[in-house]
Amino acid sequence: MAAEVEIGRGKSGRRAYAFDEIGIVPSRRTRDPEEVSVAWQIDAYRFEIPLLVAPMDSVVSPATAIAIGRLGGVGVLDLEGLWTRYEDPEPLLAEIAGLDEARATRRLQEVYSAPIREELIGRRIAEVREAGVTVAASLSPQRTAKLSKTVVDAGVDLFVIRGTTVSAEHVSGRAEPLNLKQFIYELDVPVIVGGCATYQAALHLMRTGAAGVLVGFGGGSAHTTRGVLGVAVPMATAVADVAAARKDYLDESGGRYVHVIADGGMRSSGDIAKAVACGADAVMVGSPIARASEAPGRGYHWGSEAHHGDVPRGTRLELGTIGTLEQILFGPSHVADGSMNLVGALKRAMATSGYTEVKDFQRVQVVITPQ
């Protein structure tokens, strides 16, 4: 346990680290990148790359979910996004990409105020399912109880409950909160839930029966939660803490393994490699994929926090377009900043450190790098 640092006479805290503040240490042995496997499996579903694309309208449409699935990853549909509010959201996506900065947040709030249509939930899930790829879809904790039957009946494979922060013990004086443990127990599909950022919160989520836990507060580069709410936990420390909870829960439960998925704060291939080095089984990314030519955001990126009706905690970012989805995931890269060939770079980081499997690479040595 890290020592407490005095912030002032009445407050102390742990020193925590972001991905930018750590480095991966190569070992005495190296491997050939072609011998490295980055495949992973959650419940009955195996994927060739340990990458989920975040449930954001700027990166995941039914079409891109299918494309990502065919490339070996998972595209998570946002079931509270434009695709379940509008028959054809393409004109709105084009409009959002053309908004000036002063109008963006207000117009996003207007566009997302349209009601969610349950028949569209079923239709979008069916569209992905018919393509023959694994169907993953996301709801916020607030809408999970109401819409989950529609989602499961439509044939979702992986159910994601994703919020800025999700707890196993939400307390509300206004409404009956979601009983996460009971909900997961009664559901016939594996559930991935988060975000969380501490050992204790993760342990409680693991005890609900979740198949995977999201680490972080989502949103990443398009997220302004730190500035708006003051809530932040540097990701390297958060992932390592939750990985420790996974190990202790494995012992506590007699062998039940819960997957740790780093969610947010990964802008480059190096960040993805560091997330796995800190203990993640997979990563959930948004902004790297927003730069694909197929991305629905047309070079812009935003999350659900950007259009919150009362307290927006996100922004619409202009990231531009640098290549196809396949180039961003597998190369070839024509830039040197880690924004392309994400999977190839992860394999090379593992090979340089002497590892051929993701679970083994979680044991690699890391160091703190002075800023």
Side-chain angles (χ1 to χ4, degrees):
M1 181 66 68
E4 294 280 308
V5 177
E6 184 181 287
I7 295 167
R9 288 195 173 209
K11 180 68 69 174
S12 60
R14 285 173 64 202
R15 174 70 169 93
Y17 298 94
F19 291 136
D20 285 347
E21 298 176 282
I22 67 166
I24 295 167
V25 180
S27 69
R28 62 182 176 83
R29 180 186 292 116
T30 56
R31 303 278 190 175
D32 192 317
E34 280 71 39
E35 296 175 1
V36 172
S37 169
V38 292
W40 75 300
Q41 182 163 332
I42 182 167
D43 204 83
Y45 304 98
R46 176 185 165 86
F47 305 100
E48 292 308 307
I49 59 175
L51 185 140
L52 297 88
V53 180
M56 297 175 166
D57 283 334
S58 54
V59 287
V60 180
S61 64
T64 54
I66 292 166
I68 293 157
R70 287 174 175 164
L71 289 169
V74 189
V76 184
L77 280 170
D78 178 9
L79 297 180
E80 299 174 34
L82 298 178
W83 291 93
T84 59
R85 296 175 193 262
Y86 297 92
E87 194 78 32
D88 178 15
E90 289 293 350
L92 288 168
L93 289 162
E95 180 194 347
I96 291 168
L99 291 172
D100 64 66
E101 210 56 49
R103 279 274 295 148
T105 298
R106 182 67 191 130
R107 183 57 180 145
L108 283 170
Q109 289 174 319
E110 292 168 356
V111 166
Y112 282 89
S113 66
I116 295 168
R117 295 161 53 184
E118 292 194 38
E119 76 274 11
L120 287 178
I121 290 177
R123 201 185 308 171
R124 303 312 183 197
I125 289 173
E127 189 178 337
V128 180
R129 172 164 287 286
E130 285 163 13
V133 302
T134 301
V135 185
S138 173
L139 287 171
S140 66
Q142 295 86 348
R143 287 195 171 102
T144 293
K146 179 184 177 185
L147 298 175
S148 61
K149 187 177 186 307
T150 301
V151 177
V152 174
D153 288 349
V156 76
D157 295 312
L158 292 172
F159 195 121
V160 179
I161 302 174
R162 184 177 186 257
T164 300
T165 182
V166 177
S167 72
E169 299 179 18
H170 179 67
V171 178
S172 173
R174 296 186 302 168
E176 182 67 28
L178 175 68
N179 185 326
L180 201 53
K181 187 170 187 176
Q182 182 181 338
F183 174 81
I184 292 174
Y185 178 77
E186 293 174 352
L187 211 61
D188 290 331
V189 298
V191 175
I192 297 171
V193 62
C196 69
T198 67
Y199 170 93
Q200 205 62 49
L203 196 57
H204 280 292
L205 288 179
M206 291 171 185
R207 288 169 178 162
T208 66
V213 170
L214 299 171
V215 185
F217 301 123
S221 56
H223 209 281
T224 60
T225 292
R226 179 172 183 164
V228 177
L229 301 183
V231 173
V233 179
M235 281 293 288
T237 296
V239 172
D241 282 350
V242 176
R246 175 187 61 204
K247 179 179 181 296
D248 290 348
Y249 180 70
L250 187 71
D251 295 336
E252 174 189 303
S253 63
R256 186 171 180 275
Y257 189 93
V258 179
H259 292 81
V260 171
I261 302 165
D263 180 12
M266 288 159 288
R267 298 180 298 276
S268 67
S269 54
D271 292 336
I272 291 171
K274 291 175 189 179
V276 177
C278 287
D281 297 290
V283 300
M284 178 177 276
V285 298
S287 59
I289 307 303
R291 303 176 80 179
S293 54
E294 303 95 322
R298 296 159 169 79
Y300 284 84
H301 182 49
W302 66 92
S304 59
E305 301 85 0
H307 54 76
H308 192 282
D310 299 317
V311 189
R313 301 179 308 283
T315 185
R316 186 203 59 158
L317 289 178
E318 183 177 5
L319 298 174
T321 299
I322 58 171
T324 66
L325 182 60
E326 187 166 3
Q327 286 174 319
I328 287 172
L329 291 179
F330 299 106
S333 175
H334 53 73
V335 293
D337 61 1
S339 60
M340 299 183 78
N341 199 1
L342 305 179
V343 177
L346 173 60
K347 285 186 173 183
R348 188 164 291 275
M350 292 170 61
T352 301
S353 306
Y355 296 92
T356 57
E357 302 287 338
V358 167
K359 279 189 169 57
D360 293 332
F361 186 54
Q362 292 169 348
R363 300 196 303 265
V364 71
Q365 183 182 351
V366 298
V367 293
I368 297 162
T369 54
Q371 296 300 295

